[in-house]
Amino acid sequence: MTIGGAPAPAAEAFGVVNPTSGEVFAECPSASSDQLDEAVRAARRAFEDWRRTPDETRQAALDEAATLLEEHAEPMARLLTLEQGKPLNGLGSRFELGGAAAWTRATAALTVAEEVLQDNDAGKIVLKKKPLGVVGSITPWNFPLMIAIWHVMPALRAGNTVVIKPSPYTPFTTLRLVELLNEALPPGVVNVVTGGDDLGKRMSAHPDIDKMVFTGSIAAGRSVMRSSADTLKRLTLELGGNDAGIVLPDADPAAIAEGLFWGAFINSGQTCAALKRLYVPDALYGDVCDALAGFASTVRVGDGLDEESMLGPVQNERQFDKLRGLVDDAKRTGGTVLCGGEPMDRSGYFYPVTVIADLADDAALVVEEQFGPALPVLGYTDLDDAVARANASTNGLGGSVWSPNVAQAADVGERLECGTVWVNKHGAIQPNAPFGGIKQSGFGVEFAQQGLDEYFYGQVLFR
Ligand code: NAD
């Protein structure tokens, strides 16, 4: 770990499994409570200078961090594949490293400006932006590096200091990231502690952390909110999704198959804003199912270190078992398996791309977030009914509408209850567009000016 700018070994360790083999491939330090306190103290000390550091210096530090990420991209990508399973190629580890550097630069380029609310004979009123203090960051295992960047960079740019805790399933790229960041930043500005869910709970309850930024499951998000209540921490919660896509009757199944496929199966479906339920008009149902299953047969699933692989294994055994249970239940309850449907016959947590037709709306695979490579395709007769079914979820992260008539698709999209809507694509994110969920997918946004603003408090100055 890195605490106060120095390496921090731990007395205890836990094994981390490579999902490609299903075997432990390395030991990770397990932070004690004292080490968490030490990390928070280091961040608090560093905050005194960092909050007063000129913004241009902070910008330059982020740019330097981006350069370091670019220089170390290939070994970092390999480490990411080892711990996460995703392929080096396709929308995999190299893509994630590229995104991490690009997001860091984009965050460096944002503007931090005070706002003059009034300036007249009656006086001047200025809205200042002030950093909050110590930010605690907790990240999941699906995009461990990218999500760490999304938390850490805006927090730093705004003048906060950070203690980050990665998922115990994928701790190593974050440990390495923080090591690298400490080459560009003063000691204590970014600290990393590793450990299990209890460590996350202690962070959320910690009296000297001012804000938590959490990305993970809805259940853990609720727990973070509960643990944070006594200290009334600011929160950004990016939680689970069960995104719906609606194909309109004028769509061409062959033309949309590839976009639908990657919208659903990016990172083996282990993506918060992936397409997780697809609604298709009855007249196109067979053709869309065939086109999806046909495209799936062209995509190679295999060892992430193999340059030919486009998708890797499911990341961990718990997720693998959950996925298998959902697909088995779908088969028992009348689902038709169009491709996949059984674990692959090899070591590790490999599950093939699976498309399932003919399920009822109350099937577990439709209602729950599968977070894996299995997509239910559901038919509809009436568009209003499809919109109502898409919205009949406690989640509200993203949604998509598919049609050559973009204006009409956008109109339907606006009726979806979610934080982001896409036309003829699903899951696209950019550093210049805020991203976040509604309903139980969380609150607060990341990216762009609006995302940066979550790391300030506003101080109103009358003078
Ligand atoms: P998870 O909630 O199990 O774990 C995420 C992190 O939270 C880990 O670091 C874990 O150790 C920690 N944690 C677990 N319980 C905690 C508790 N009670 N208090 C504090 N910390 C705790 O999630 P996961 O399985 O790693 O990730 C998958 C989930 O993340 C999916 O639901 C997915 O949709 C969601 N996700 C959301 C977004 C988004 O931007 N909305 C992005 C990626 C992933």
Side-chain angles (χ1 to χ4, degrees):
M1 301 180 291
T2 304
I3 297 176
E12 288 178 25
F14 57 91
V16 178
V17 170
N18 176 344
T20 299
S21 63
E23 307 286 335
V24 170
F25 80 106
E27 297 285 316
C28 179
S30 179
S32 64
S33 286
D34 284 350
Q35 283 178 310
L36 171 61
D37 289 345
E38 211 184 301
V40 176
R41 272 197 304 275
R44 177 63 57 192
R45 272 196 306 274
F47 178 59
E48 286 315 308
D49 280 342
W50 188 245
R51 72 193 298 184
R52 278 183 266 276
T53 299
D55 189 42
E56 304 75 59
T57 310
R58 294 202 291 255
Q59 266 181 311
L62 261 61
D63 277 327
E64 194 184 337
T67 303
L68 284 165
L69 279 166
E70 284 156 0
E71 285 169 4
H72 293 82
E74 189 57 20
M76 289 279 276
R78 288 184 172 271
L79 185 58
L80 181 55
T81 292
L82 281 177
E83 69 175 1
Q84 209 284 338
K86 63 181 65 187
L88 288 171
N89 287 324
L91 300 170
S93 294
R94 291 177 180 138
F95 168 77
E96 188 163 340
L97 260 295
W103 242 276
T104 302
R105 286 205 196 284
T107 310
L110 292 170
T111 310
V112 177
E114 60 185 32
E115 199 181 328
V116 178
L117 305 176
Q118 175 187 303
D119 189 7
N120 58 23
D121 292 348
K124 189 170 182 181
I125 308 173
V126 183
L127 177 62
K128 301 269 186 180
K129 291 183 178 180
K130 304 273 189 177
L132 293 160
V134 177
V135 170
S137 150
I138 299 179
T139 54
W141 47 257
N142 58 339
F143 288 89
L145 183 72
M146 190 83 124
I147 293 174
I149 294 288
W150 293 345
H151 290 187
V152 171
M153 294 305 165
L156 296 182
R157 177 67 205 286
N160 305 282
T161 54
V162 175
V163 177
I164 183 169
K165 185 201 92 66
S167 166
Y169 292 113
T170 52
F172 295 116
T173 41
T174 307
L175 286 171
R176 183 70 184 124
L177 169 71
V178 175
E179 243 173 32
L180 287 176
L181 291 181
N182 272 268
E183 293 179 18
L185 295 164
V189 169
V190 186
N191 310 273
V192 56
V193 289
T194 40
D197 300 352
D198 280 352
L199 184 63
K201 263 192 187 164
R202 289 204 292 275
M203 284 174 70
S204 312
H206 201 288
D208 211 24
I209 291 180
D210 300 285
K211 173 190 169 103
M212 291 301 299
V213 50
F214 173 84
T215 302
S217 61
I218 291 174
R222 287 191 192 111
S223 168
V224 167
M225 197 166 172
R226 261 184 235 114
S227 311
S228 299
D230 283 345
T231 47
L232 283 172
K233 287 183 178 57
R234 271 73 183 147
L235 295 175
T236 299
L237 299 178
E238 296 287 1
L239 309 179
N242 192 5
D243 290 11
I246 301 179
V247 175
L248 297 189
D250 60 358
D252 172 1
I256 61 175
E258 184 171 355
L260 287 172
F261 181 88
W262 287 114
F265 293 102
I266 175 176
N267 203 28
S268 299
Q270 303 167 119
T271 304
C272 52
L275 174 56
K276 290 172 182 155
R277 300 173 279 152
L278 182 63
Y279 296 89
V280 179
D282 296 330
L284 296 183
Y285 192 74
D287 288 347
V288 168
C289 286
D290 289 348
L292 267 174
F295 190 85
S297 66
T298 68
V299 175
R300 177 143 158 194
V301 180
D303 183 337
L305 292 176
D306 179 341
E307 299 279 347
E308 302 298 314
S309 296
M310 295 302 278
L311 292 173
V314 171
Q315 202 280 326
N316 59 70
E317 189 173 17
R318 189 184 64 173
Q319 194 57 40
F320 181 81
D321 288 345
K322 175 172 183 192
L323 179 73
R324 186 159 57 175
L326 286 173
V327 174
D328 288 349
D329 174 78
K331 288 190 281 193
R332 270 197 307 276
T333 55
T336 306
V337 176
L338 303 176
C339 58
E342 287 288 342
M344 288 161 74
D345 186 17
R346 54 176 292 175
S347 61
Y349 310 128
F350 284 91
Y351 205 95
V353 170
T354 298
V355 179
I356 301 201
D358 304 327
L359 279 175
D361 280 0
D362 63 356
L365 184 62
V366 180
V367 177
E368 292 178 31
E369 183 188 33
Q370 64 275 52
F371 216 61
L375 177 71
V377 184
L378 305 143
Y380 76 84
T381 310
D382 174 64
L383 180 59
D384 290 340
D385 181 50
V387 170
R389 288 159 70 199
N391 286 336
S393 169
T394 50
N395 297 317
L397 197 53
S400 60
V401 185
W402 302 72
S403 163
N405 184 338
V406 172
Q408 191 202 353
D411 284 347
V412 176
E414 284 197 49
R415 295 166 61 193
L416 296 178
E417 296 165 358
C418 51
T420 307
V421 174
W422 296 276
V423 172
N424 293 327
K425 53 169 98 89
H426 198 113
I429 46 167
Q430 292 187 189
N432 58 351
F435 172 79
I438 63 165
K439 297 183 176 176
Q440 293 192 26
S441 291
F443 49 79
V445 292
E446 297 186 277
F447 319 155
Q449 208 65 44
Q450 292 87 345
L452 183 62
D453 281 345
E454 302 239 338
Y455 292 91
F456 295 111
Y457 70 89
Q459 185 182 60
V460 180
L461 179 65
F462 282 73
R463 39 180 276 197

